[in-house]
Amino acid sequence: QRGGGGGGGSGAAAAAGKVKVKARSAEQYAGEIYSGSSGAMQTAARGGGKTGDFLSEHAMIEFRVAAVQGRSYQLEPLPRPTPKACPQLACTFKAVRRQVCETLQLLDRAELRGVVAALSKRGSSSRGGTTSHLLSLQGLAGRCPTVLWSLVREFDGDVEGGVEALRREVQDGAAVES
């Protein structure tokens, strides 16, 4: 899917096919988003903590944001490498001089709803009293690319609209349960 429509080529699948993607639950992704455990600073620190690592990770955040805003990305669901493997998505977008391909777990709408529900149960992580900043385009680009690209795919590039739709679904489900 490029910019919300069209088909992908086999280049991304071939490049991404060798990456092992570990399946994670909605609650695990919500914890990751809430705590920032795989955010830019932590990822850079795991890479050695050099200045270049921090700059590279912050640049990747900006490249993801620019790709979504400019609708200049290619999303390609990949075949499962084994029957028990989680669904995977190859996300290709432009960095400075080259295309970058991230291979991530593909979350469906129910799993995305689970992430939003789990975050809403945790409460605010800011003085503003909401978790909205965590589920913004910029927040997800830095904290959880898996949720970002799954939202982009599920909601045709409209991350904010997708988050709002999922919040309504979570609220409607909570109202039905009570």
Side-chain angles (χ1 to χ4, degrees), residues 69-146:
Q69 289 175 334
R71 298 177 79 69
S72 56
Y73 51 82
Q74 184 176 10
L75 303 177
E76 184 178 351
L78 300 174
R80 292 181 189 217
T82 66
K84 292 185 179 182
C86 65
Q88 297 177 18
L89 182 66
C91 312
T92 306
F93 54 96
K94 186 167 177 17
V96 175
R97 293 184 184 97
R98 62 184 172 87
Q99 293 288 101
V100 174
C101 183
E102 297 179 314
T103 303
L104 309 160
Q105 180 178 353
L106 174 58
L107 304 176
D108 63 22
R109 190 178 189 115
E111 291 166 316
L112 290 169
R113 188 179 321 110
V115 171
V116 171
L119 271 174
S120 68
K121 289 178 187 171
R122 288 178 174 262
S124 172
S125 71
S126 72
R127 292 183 183 164
T130 69
T131 56
S132 294
H133 66 289
L134 299 176
L135 292 170
S136 67
L137 172 58
Q138 185 81 25
L140 288 171
R143 290 174 177 265
C144 192
T146 296

Side-chain angles (χ1 to χ4, degrees), residues 45-66:
R46 285 192 301 269
K50 298 177 184 156
T51 303
D53 295 327
F54 288 99
L55 293 175
S56 295
E57 192 55 35
H58 281 287
M60 285 300 293
I61 294 167
E62 295 305 317
F63 296 142
R64 290 180 193 118
V65 169

